[in-house]
Amino acid sequence: MTAPLDSTSPLRSAVEETQFSSEETSPRLTSTRLQRIREQFRAQMRRGRPQWRPFSPLPQDVPPDLVPGCTLQAVIGSGGMGTVYLARQNALERQVAVKVLNPRLANDPVFMERLRKEAQIMGTFSHPNLVGCHDIIVSRNGACILMEYIPGHLNGRTLIHLLGPMPERYAILVLHALAKGLAYAYEKGFTHRDVKPDNLLFAFQDKRPPESYEELFQSPDFRVALCDFGIASTQTQYTEEHREEPPGEVKAEEEEEEENAIVGSPLYMSPEQALMPENVDCRSDIYSLACTAFFLLTGKPPFPGKTLEEVLDLKTQCDLPLPVPPAPAKPLNPILGKALLRMGALQQEDRFQDYATLLDVLAPLETSLTSPLSFRLFTYHYRKFLSRLCLGALLLGGFILLGIHGYTQWLNNYERRLMDDTVFLGKWEGTLSTWQQIFTAEGRVLRGTASSGPLTLKEHLRPGDYLRVSLNFQDVGSAILMLHSATGGKEPLMRLICYREPRRNVVQLGLPSRKPDSPTAFEEIPGPLDLPDATNPWIQLRIQFHESFCVVWNQDRPLGICHFPPVQEAAFSISRLNCPQVQFANIALVREKYAQRLLPRLNEEYP
């Protein structure tokens, strides 16, 4: 993936002004600066294959008490800024890493002042993925930094040369850990500016190199930490360094180069760090982190040119290429590959603009290592599908809720619709001419008198059905309601006599007499002394029919149970009226499947 620079690109402008020439200089990339980068690049290219080795013995010309308060024990390594020793801090009785600075740097007041400020801030670091700084000591023997000691003698470059390219799952762990450490440092005001494999330290307790990545990463004391904050910059550093000078004062080129010297590793630094160091921020460290991840996955830097000019030309022309792990490793995870391409974009605006956004991408990848069916990884992979699925589920749920609501409303109004439908002479049979169908304030009603003949409901009750009937006496009197078999001889099953007395209503239940001498008589069934609605002009009854018995209710209060021989269907009749005028309303025959929903208490108390 390449992204050629357009004519307005600041990086392109800087490259065109310099042309990697020592004769033509740019305000930022001068010949001296370019020469220093070239020397640094050649030093890196001259490095041989790193080998793991235990501590080197302390040289004879180095006294153990060179650093006040510490006893030097061995040499860990050396570099351009100085030598790192393993030492014992006498006051706290702990092992520390002591970096003794190069005497040339220790005598530089500008560098020492910057180093003191950085050490003060680094001393506040408390993060497992950053090597902490304990103290900075300046004595007659020079300057040194006391740092946290990470056992194992393993940095990123040595580890890759020992075990080969790092498997993807472990590279993700390292990448996420470093991103968290850099984010923590950036919150403290620091930009590292030298993220590279050599500055990654891997903790390993055994006094031997690990035999596999599994042994290293599964070690209970495993830890990866970023070291060498010696060239880190604060967010206000360049503002202070590039303040305007008083009129008439022009710094010499060499003096300016000393204050604004290029730092970092050319193979891993961002393009703007080489060309425009005043633009370095967290996005530059994110670029270097992507280059470091490229090296961990492939075993080589992303732009392996033979000369510095080739490397810088590629860096200022192309985005970071996609790492391709060597066979037989599986192809790179597309989410990780996409993240690395964005981290290594040529233009700063195209990269992750902060660590929070980067961590949101890396965190699900790391979570997937411990749980292959990680919810966060699954949702990240299938976020578009899941969003559509959730939308469809919401719509389906809405339709279901609307359906349930509609059915509930229909069920609640079912009995009322039946009332309006049954209070109609066409639903009855018998002496219809002696009855009237009228409309009142209560709705449609059937009106009968003492001269009205019997009426029988055409629809028959089946087991589980119930019948609702309301009647209103216009004067003192009675009405006889019958329930009889709908087949055969139509034997009576139950009789209801409703009385209207001057101040109350009475309902009397009766069963056919079983005495041989009076087969047409009825035996009364004891019921409640008073109806719950005895003073209400309307008597409201519910008759719940079963195969061998029926339950009679006044509203929701049972009046009695009538037992009879088993029948499959029953008919309801208004047998006789003994009153000047009686009105029947709210007549509804509710079938079994609806009765179970409308009258649950009836079935619970009388199964």
Side-chain angles (χ1 to χ4, degrees):
M1 177 177 179
T2 61
L5 294 176
D6 55 27
S7 59
T8 61
S9 169
L11 293 178
R12 185 59 176 169
S13 301
V15 174
E16 290 176 351
E17 290 177 4
T18 59
Q19 295 295 322
F20 303 110
S21 170
S22 61
E23 298 178 357
E24 299 180 5
T25 61
S26 166
R28 293 303 175 202
L29 187 59
T30 61
S31 59
T32 305
R33 184 186 301 276
L34 184 61
Q35 182 61 29
R36 290 183 177 180
I37 300 177
R38 184 180 289 109
E39 293 175 356
Q40 193 172 357
F41 175 79
R42 289 173 179 172
Q44 288 184 353
M45 299 300 290
R46 286 195 299 266
R47 288 178 184 173
R49 183 182 181 89
Q51 299 291 334
W52 183 91
R53 57 190 177 94
F55 297 118
S56 300
L58 192 68
Q60 295 182 355
D61 57 342
V62 178
D65 58 350
L66 176 67
V67 178
C70 297
T71 302
L72 303 186
Q73 297 175 339
V75 177
I76 297 178
S78 60
M81 296 185 64
T83 304
V84 181
Y85 296 95
L86 175 64
R88 180 177 178 273
Q89 192 174 14
N90 300 327
L92 299 179
E93 296 184 353
R94 63 177 177 181
Q95 285 189 319
V96 294
V98 180
K99 177 184 285 188
V100 179
L101 300 183
N102 189 304
R104 181 180 64 85
L105 298 176
N107 295 327
D108 186 344
V110 176
F111 179 84
M112 290 303 301
E113 179 62 24
R114 184 182 302 170
L115 193 65
R116 286 191 185 94
K117 293 180 180 179
E118 293 169 358
Q120 290 174 357
I121 299 180
M122 290 172 60
T124 65
F125 286 176
S126 179
H127 195 277
N129 303 120
L130 297 179
V131 176
C133 175
H134 297 322
D135 197 2
I136 179 172
I137 300 176
V138 180
S139 65
R140 58 184 178 82
N141 296 326
C144 61
I145 302 175
L146 271 65
M147 301 178 297
E148 180 184 7
Y149 170 63
I150 305 296
H153 325 294
L154 287 171
N155 60 39
R157 201 161 69 95
T158 302
L159 186 64
I160 296 302
H161 284 291
L162 284 174
L163 303 178
M166 187 176 293
E168 177 186 313
R169 61 183 182 276
Y170 298 129
I172 292 174
L173 290 174
V174 174
L175 190 62
H176 188 219
L178 297 179
K180 290 189 291 185
L182 289 170
Y184 176 85
Y186 194 68
E187 289 179 359
K188 296 287 187 179
F190 259 72
T191 303
H192 190 278
R193 296 200 299 174
D194 198 19
V195 179
K196 60 182 179 180
D198 302 76
N199 288 338
L200 309 186
L201 299 183
F202 295 83
F204 190 66
Q205 295 294 337
D206 292 349
K207 296 181 179 180
R208 60 173 180 83
E211 297 180 358
S212 65
Y213 283 108
E214 288 76 10
E215 182 183 11
L216 174 64
F217 280 83
Q218 294 177 8
S219 171
D221 299 318
F222 171 75
R223 174 186 167 199
V224 58
L226 185 64
C227 68
D228 201 355
F229 275 81
I231 63 172
S233 66
T234 61
Q235 298 174 12
T236 59
Q237 177 177 326
Y238 284 110
T239 303
E240 296 175 354
E241 290 178 351
H242 292 87
R243 290 176 180 171
E244 294 184 0
E245 296 295 330
E249 293 187 14
V250 180
K251 288 187 178 182
E253 179 181 312
E254 292 297 332
E255 183 180 354
E256 182 180 355
E257 290 297 327
E258 287 297 327
E259 292 188 7
N260 301 320
I262 280 292
V263 291
S265 174
L267 291 176
Y268 302 96
M269 70 171 57
S270 62
E272 66 271 9
Q273 188 170 342
L275 304 178
M276 295 176 293
E278 68 276 10
N279 293 338
V280 171
D281 56 19
C282 67
R283 296 171 294 180
S284 303
D285 280 351
I286 289 176
Y287 182 95
S288 300
L289 187 59
C291 295
T292 302
F294 188 102
F295 179 84
L296 297 178
L297 290 166
T298 63
K300 57 184 179 181
F303 300 108
K306 294 183 180 180
T307 63
L308 175 65
E309 287 75 7
E310 292 179 6
V311 174
L312 289 182
D313 189 48
L314 290 173
K315 279 181 175 287
T316 55
Q317 291 289 336
C318 306
D319 293 337
L320 186 76
L322 183 67
V324 180
K330 297 181 180 179
L332 203 64
N333 186 311
I335 300 178
L336 176 60
K338 186 177 180 180
L340 290 177
L341 290 178
R342 184 177 176 187
M343 293 169 63
L346 175 62
Q347 299 295 337
Q348 288 178 287
E349 295 75 12
D350 297 332
R351 303 173 199 160
F352 291 99
Q353 299 301 299
D354 51 59
Y355 287 108
T357 310
L358 175 60
L359 291 173
D360 287 341
V361 176
L362 296 179
L365 291 174
E366 182 182 10
T367 306
S368 67
L369 301 178
T370 55
S371 177
L373 297 179
S374 167
F375 177 75
R376 295 183 64 184
L377 181 66
F378 178 79
T379 53
Y380 188 86
H381 270 293
Y382 303 101
R383 57 189 183 279
K384 291 184 179 179
F385 170 75
L386 289 177
S387 61
R388 295 174 183 174
L389 182 62
C390 291
L391 179 60
L394 289 176
L395 292 176
L396 180 61
F399 284 123
I400 292 175
L401 290 177
L402 287 176
I404 294 175
H405 177 73
Y407 176 74
T408 303
Q409 293 298 321
W410 179 87
L411 188 63
N412 292 339
N413 296 324
Y414 173 73
E415 192 174 20
R416 181 175 299 276
R417 292 196 305 273
L418 290 177
M419 295 174 191
D420 296 338
D421 186 50
T422 311
V423 183
F424 176 62
L425 286 176
K427 297 290 184 179
W428 298 79
E429 59 185 3
T431 55
L432 302 180
S433 59
T434 60
W435 290 80
Q436 290 181 329
Q437 178 180 310
I438 63 175
F439 291 90
T440 64
E442 289 81 9
R444 187 162 54 182
V445 299
L446 294 178
R447 177 181 293 174
T449 62
S451 60
S452 298
L455 284 181
T456 302
L457 191 63
K458 290 182 180 180
E459 291 187 83
H460 297 162
L461 283 78
R462 294 188 291 268
D465 298 345
Y466 80 84
L467 180 68
R468 172 174 174 168
V469 180
S470 299
L471 62 156
N472 180 14
F473 293 95
Q474 301 297 314
D475 200 349
V476 176
S478 65
I480 300 176
L481 311 179
M482 298 289 294
L483 190 69
H484 54 84
S485 174
T487 60
K490 297 185 178 180
E491 295 84 358
L493 303 176
M494 180 190 69
R495 183 184 68 179
L496 280 171
I497 302 179
C498 301
Y499 296 95
R500 175 63 182 177
E501 297 181 353
R503 293 186 178 180
R504 66 186 186 119
N505 297 322
V506 178
V507 177
Q508 181 180 346
L509 281 69
L511 288 175
S513 176
R514 297 182 182 180
K515 297 179 180 179
D517 54 346
S518 57
T520 59
F522 283 84
E523 297 178 358
E524 293 186 7
I525 299 177
L529 298 177
D530 295 314
L531 295 178
D533 56 350
T535 59
N536 192 331
W538 288 89
I539 300 176
Q540 302 180 24
L541 301 174
R542 293 178 186 266
I543 302 172
Q544 187 177 15
F545 175 71
H546 291 274
E547 185 176 354
S548 59
F549 69 94
C550 69
V551 184
V552 181
W553 305 75
N554 175 236
Q555 293 287 13
D556 292 331
R557 180 177 178 181
L559 301 180
I561 303 177
C562 301
H563 294 271
F564 40 77
V567 293
Q568 294 300 320
E569 289 187 350
F572 174 77
S573 300
I574 304 174
S575 179
R576 191 173 60 194
L577 301 178
N578 297 317
C579 183
Q581 189 180 96
V582 181
Q583 293 180 351
F584 289 84
N586 299 339
I587 302 174
L589 176 57
V590 181
R591 294 301 179 187
E592 177 186 13
K593 60 180 180 180
Y594 302 114
Q596 293 177 354
R597 295 174 173 83
L598 293 174
L599 292 176
R601 287 200 311 175
L602 303 184
N603 297 326
E604 291 176 2
E605 297 181 11
Y606 292 90

